[in-house]
Amino acid sequence: MIVLFTDFGVEGPYTGQMTAVLLQSAPAVPVVSLFADLPPGQPKPAAYLLAAYARWFAAGTVFVCIVDPGVGSDRGALIVEADGRCYVGPDNGLFEIVLRRASRNRVWQIAWQPPALSASFHGRDLFAPVAARLARGETPDSLGRQTQAMPQPGWPDDLAEIVYIDRYGNAMTGLRGMALSPGARLSAGGRVLAHAETFSAVPQGAAFWYVNSNGLVEIAVNQGRADRELSLAVGAGIEIFS
Amino acid sequence: MIVLFTDFGVEGPYTGQMTAVLLQSAPAVPVVSLFADLPPGQPKPAAYLLAAYARWFAAGTVFVCIVDPGVGSDRGALIVEADGRCYVGPDNGLFEIVLRRASRNRVWQIAWQPPALSASFHGRDLFAPVAARLARGETPDSLGRQTQAMPQPGWPDDLAEIVYIDRYGNAMTGLRGMALSPGARLSAGGRVLAHAETFSAVPQGAAFWYVNSNGLVEIAVNQGRADRELSLAVGAGIEIFS
Amino acid sequence: MIVLFTDFGVEGPYTGQMTAVLLQSAPAVPVVSLFADLPPGQPKPAAYLLAAYARWFAAGTVFVCIVDPGVGSDRGALIVEADGRCYVGPDNGLFEIVLRRASRNRVWQIAWQPPALSASFHGRDLFAPVAARLARGETPDSLGRQTQAMPQPGWPDDLAEIVYIDRYGNAMTGLRGMALSPGARLSAGGRVLAHAETFSAVPQGAAFWYVNSNGLVEIAVNQGRADRELSLAVGAGIEIFS
């Protein structure tokens, strides 16, 4: 399976063009778009989401990860192998948390070159063809040379910030549930929030935090929108009182 | 074919995670997302849309239906068989209209249990795996025990309310076209509307009602947006003068 | 491969119903949605986008193209063959630029009739079944009779207007990059813009024009939104100073 993890938007032609390239190059491999609406141009929140969501896919999955504000600059282009999964994308921190948490990993600078490379859409011209080759069984060694990813030493292991807001207004953080005790309180948007197991455990309209289905701490309002009621946006900081 | 019918949003990771589970469990079965943007958390309008849209799919189709504000509570989890199609989802009224209109139907409480069940994403952990098993040929009897769905006696056979607003601003109602005579007039948003066969049968900018391609009464403005011009939203009531 | 090119919206049931029809009629053919959010009801900007994006697909691809404000009127229904690719859709100018740029082309009026044709959704009832038949190898001659598309003599070869705004706020025009010299300046939204090769070639916050990955002139702001900062919308005119 090839999984798309991008900030292209659910609109527009970009996901469709990527999918067409992948289906033409690796016709037997299903393509699934996991995220098309990552926070635009921000590799940092995306790095925490990728680490939380990728764990959930089988070994052998190839992720094409594109949050690439530096396209056209000289930032590198990577293949990452971590705990049996493969990742392809720009060298801008997107793989930092996956790499840090992996029990074993290797990284390659992509050396393969497409017949034509546009200045602004390396997803279609470089990363999708490389992902299709990996999905068809070509080795990373045949496509690049081993290297290290550019490190992001200032990024914490768990990020006390909002990294994504979903359709219901629930606000995901970059904190793993295992990093907090259930008795911990969070402060977000000027409110102090206690833990609950589920939405139905709190009264209608009450704000709370819980560990979501991918293991991340999420802030929600039962039958309401946490983003509006607590004025939360991607990048907003969270305080933890444990 | 497996059909997704949800309020997950076209954004975010939920449809992608569901699709990945389905493709891993039933690789030969195509997955199509019919609705990802049902009115969030509202099983009632979704029930009328499901009955109108499902008729249009072949026998053997498996629908995964998730509008589930009670996830994490003790609401039941159902398999429904109605007129040869299968449905999987929460027992909250979502299948009420499908069941009522079916010439024959059976209902099972799901007994199958996943290895791990998150508190907030039964779509991924319970309903998708059950749908994949049904699509692969397992029987409802092997996955659950026969029961009745929780009845919704207060819900009418045809719902005189807006149930969905599409991209063009057209407002679908829960009324079947066959429930109205072509001479009927509707009152919506303070305006009285006559019937027309098609958009091009009325002047540019005129509001009217018509029977849409799935048999539901829909309110529209030729080359305009009915939602804005008549101030319509999901849940708004319609009066019928026949 | 069958490619969807529509203004249906990424929301709602229309793309899902089309995909289901195509998968039922041509199960072995992958379906990719290229654009679902073309400017609603406007065949003219769509015609320039189609010509720019279709070039990029292999011969044999079948495009289902639906921007159809005249559905229900007596506008024609076409099959177009241009440079080895097939197109199906309404006769309202959508194929004008593809036809004009093709080294060879033929056009058929669709004669095939579906068992039932709704008044408002010819995409599902007429164009998708015809596309599936073409993808399975039926010939245009067996589905229609040769004709000419309704000409649009007033449409220029390159359109100096915004035709699409993407998720990042970048504004695509209907001008091919090859129609401008790199020294050309564009005036849009009251600002005069110079050319740059890539985003990273201009300072953060600077507006510029560049040739996008599909060969169209696009207006952008490095790490900003051109649509907001220059007040651009689909249909806004561009002036060229070369």
Side-chain angles (χ1 to χ4, degrees):
Chain A
M1 186 176 298
I2 295 174
V3 174
L4 301 180
F5 181 87
T6 78
D7 69 347
F8 292 159
V10 293
E11 323 87 340
Y14 308 116
T15 294
Q17 280 199 301
M18 291 276 288
T19 304
V21 167
L22 292 166
L23 289 173
Q24 282 171 346
S25 308
V29 183
V31 178
V32 174
S33 175
L34 176 60
F35 271 100
D37 64 331
L38 292 165
Q42 300 179 60
K44 189 175 180 184
Y48 292 86
L49 288 165
L50 181 60
Y53 278 83
R55 289 172 51 228
W56 191 85
F57 285 82
T61 303
V62 179
F63 292 81
V64 191
C65 305
I66 324 269
V67 178
D68 196 9
V71 65
S73 73
D74 59 357
R75 64 100 187 90
L78 301 180
I79 298 169
V80 166
E81 197 180 82
D83 291 340
R85 300 177 197 94
C86 260
Y87 304 81
V88 180
D91 186 12
N92 60 13
L94 206 39
F95 305 118
E96 171 75 14
I97 307 303
V98 163
L99 287 167
R100 217 186 274 181
R101 292 185 191 163
S103 57
R104 59 202 165 75
N105 72 61
R106 286 189 296 173
V107 178
W108 293 259
Q109 173 72 29
I110 296 174
W112 180 84
Q113 290 185 321
L117 180 68
S118 67
S120 56
F121 197 2
H122 291 193
R124 179 193 69 188
D125 298 337
L126 179 67
F127 297 123
V130 166
R133 279 168 170 73
L134 292 167
R136 285 188 334 224
E138 293 188 32
T139 63
D141 279 325
S142 71
L143 296 161
R145 56 176 183 281
Q146 285 210 36
T147 186
Q148 301 293 321
M150 173 106 62
Q152 305 288 346
W155 294 10
D157 287 343
D158 287 84
L159 182 66
E161 285 181 15
I162 305 300
V163 295
Y164 185 75
I165 291 179
D166 76 9
R167 189 202 189 195
Y168 311 93
N170 301 332
M172 295 185 200
T173 73
L175 297 163
R176 284 169 292 181
M178 54 177 264
L180 270 66
S181 79
R185 289 171 177 270
L186 298 186
S187 167
R191 296 264 289 278
V192 175
L193 308 172
H195 173 260
E197 282 294 330
T198 67
F199 284 67
S200 51
V202 302
Q204 189 174 337
F208 65 104
W209 71 266
Y210 75 113
V211 181
N212 77 12
S213 62
N214 287 283
L216 292 178
V217 170
E218 186 165 310
I219 295 169
V221 168
N222 186 20
Q223 295 173 53
R225 292 191 64 93
D227 60 340
R228 288 191 200 139
E229 294 177 33
L230 283 73
S231 297
L232 300 175
V234 169
I238 308 293
E239 276 187 283
I240 305 165
F241 308 99
S242 50
Chain B
M1 186 176 297
I2 295 174
V3 174
L4 300 180
F5 181 86
T6 78
D7 69 347
F8 291 159
V10 293
E11 324 86 340
Y14 308 116
T15 294
Q17 280 200 300
M18 290 276 288
T19 304
V21 167
L22 292 166
L23 289 174
Q24 282 171 345
S25 307
V29 183
V31 178
V32 174
S33 176
L34 176 59
F35 271 100
D37 64 331
L38 292 164
Q42 299 180 60
K44 190 175 179 183
Y48 292 86
L49 288 166
L50 181 60
Y53 278 83
R55 291 172 50 229
W56 191 84
F57 285 83
T61 303
V62 179
F63 293 82
V64 191
C65 305
I66 323 270
V67 178
D68 196 9
V71 65
S73 73
D74 59 359
R75 63 101 187 89
L78 301 180
I79 297 168
V80 166
E81 198 179 81
D83 290 340
R85 300 177 197 95
C86 260
Y87 304 81
V88 179
D91 186 12
N92 60 12
L94 207 39
F95 306 118
E96 171 74 14
I97 307 304
V98 163
L99 287 166
R100 217 184 275 181
R101 292 183 191 162
S103 57
R104 58 199 166 74
N105 72 62
R106 286 188 296 173
V107 179
W108 292 260
Q109 173 72 29
I110 296 174
W112 180 84
Q113 290 186 320
L117 180 67
S118 66
S120 56
F121 197 1
H122 290 194
R124 179 193 69 189
D125 298 336
L126 180 67
F127 296 122
V130 166
R133 280 168 168 73
L134 291 167
R136 286 188 333 224
E138 293 189 32
T139 64
D141 279 325
S142 71
L143 296 162
R145 54 175 185 282
Q146 284 209 37
T147 186
Q148 301 292 321
M150 174 107 62
Q152 306 287 346
W155 295 9
D157 286 344
D158 287 86
L159 183 66
E161 286 181 15
I162 305 299
V163 295
Y164 185 76
I165 292 180
D166 76 8
R167 189 202 189 194
Y168 311 94
N170 301 333
M172 294 185 200
T173 73
L175 297 163
R176 283 169 293 181
M178 53 177 264
L180 269 67
S181 78
R185 288 171 178 269
L186 298 186
S187 166
R191 297 263 289 277
V192 176
L193 309 172
H195 174 260
E197 281 294 330
T198 67
F199 283 67
S200 51
V202 303
Q204 189 173 337
F208 65 104
W209 70 265
Y210 76 114
V211 181
N212 76 13
S213 62
N214 287 283
L216 292 177
V217 169
E218 187 165 308
I219 295 169
V221 168
N222 186 20
Q223 295 174 52
R225 293 191 63 95
D227 60 340
R228 288 189 200 141
E229 294 177 34
L230 283 72
S231 298
L232 299 176
V234 169
I238 308 294
E239 276 187 284
I240 306 165
F241 308 99
S242 50
Chain C
M1 184 176 298
I2 296 174
V3 174
L4 301 180
F5 181 85
T6 79
D7 69 348
F8 291 159
V10 293
E11 322 87 339
Y14 309 116
T15 295
Q17 280 199 300
M18 291 275 288
T19 304
V21 167
L22 292 167
L23 289 173
Q24 283 171 345
S25 307
V29 182
V31 178
V32 173
S33 175
L34 176 60
F35 271 99
D37 64 330
L38 292 165
Q42 299 180 59
K44 189 175 180 183
Y48 291 86
L49 288 165
L50 181 60
Y53 278 83
R55 291 172 50 228
W56 191 84
F57 286 83
T61 302
V62 179
F63 292 82
V64 191
C65 305
I66 325 269
V67 177
D68 196 10
V71 65
S73 73
D74 59 358
R75 62 101 187 91
L78 301 181
I79 297 169
V80 166
E81 198 180 81
D83 289 341
R85 300 177 196 94
C86 261
Y87 304 80
V88 180
D91 186 12
N92 61 12
L94 206 39
F95 306 118
E96 172 74 14
I97 307 303
V98 163
L99 287 166
R100 216 184 275 182
R101 293 184 191 162
S103 57
R104 59 201 164 75
N105 72 61
R106 286 188 296 173
V107 178
W108 293 260
Q109 173 72 29
I110 296 174
W112 180 84
Q113 290 185 321
L117 180 68
S118 66
S120 56
F121 197 2
H122 290 193
R124 179 192 68 188
D125 299 335
L126 179 67
F127 297 122
V130 166
R133 279 166 170 74
L134 292 168
R136 284 187 336 224
E138 293 188 33
T139 62
D141 279 324
S142 71
L143 296 161
R145 55 176 184 281
Q146 284 209 38
T147 185
Q148 300 293 322
M150 173 108 61
Q152 305 288 347
W155 295 10
D157 286 344
D158 286 85
L159 182 66
E161 283 181 16
I162 305 298
V163 295
Y164 185 75
I165 292 179
D166 76 8
R167 188 200 189 197
Y168 311 93
N170 302 332
M172 294 184 200
T173 73
L175 297 163
R176 284 170 292 182
M178 53 178 263
L180 270 66
S181 79
R185 289 170 176 270
L186 298 186
S187 166
R191 296 263 289 277
V192 176
L193 309 172
H195 173 260
E197 280 294 331
T198 68
F199 284 67
S200 50
V202 303
Q204 189 173 337
F208 64 103
W209 72 266
Y210 75 114
V211 181
N212 76 12
S213 62
N214 287 284
L216 292 177
V217 169
E218 186 165 309
I219 295 169
V221 168
N222 185 21
Q223 295 175 53
R225 292 192 63 92
D227 60 341
R228 288 191 199 138
E229 294 177 33
L230 284 72
S231 297
L232 299 176
V234 169
I238 307 295
E239 277 187 283
I240 305 165
F241 308 99
S242 50

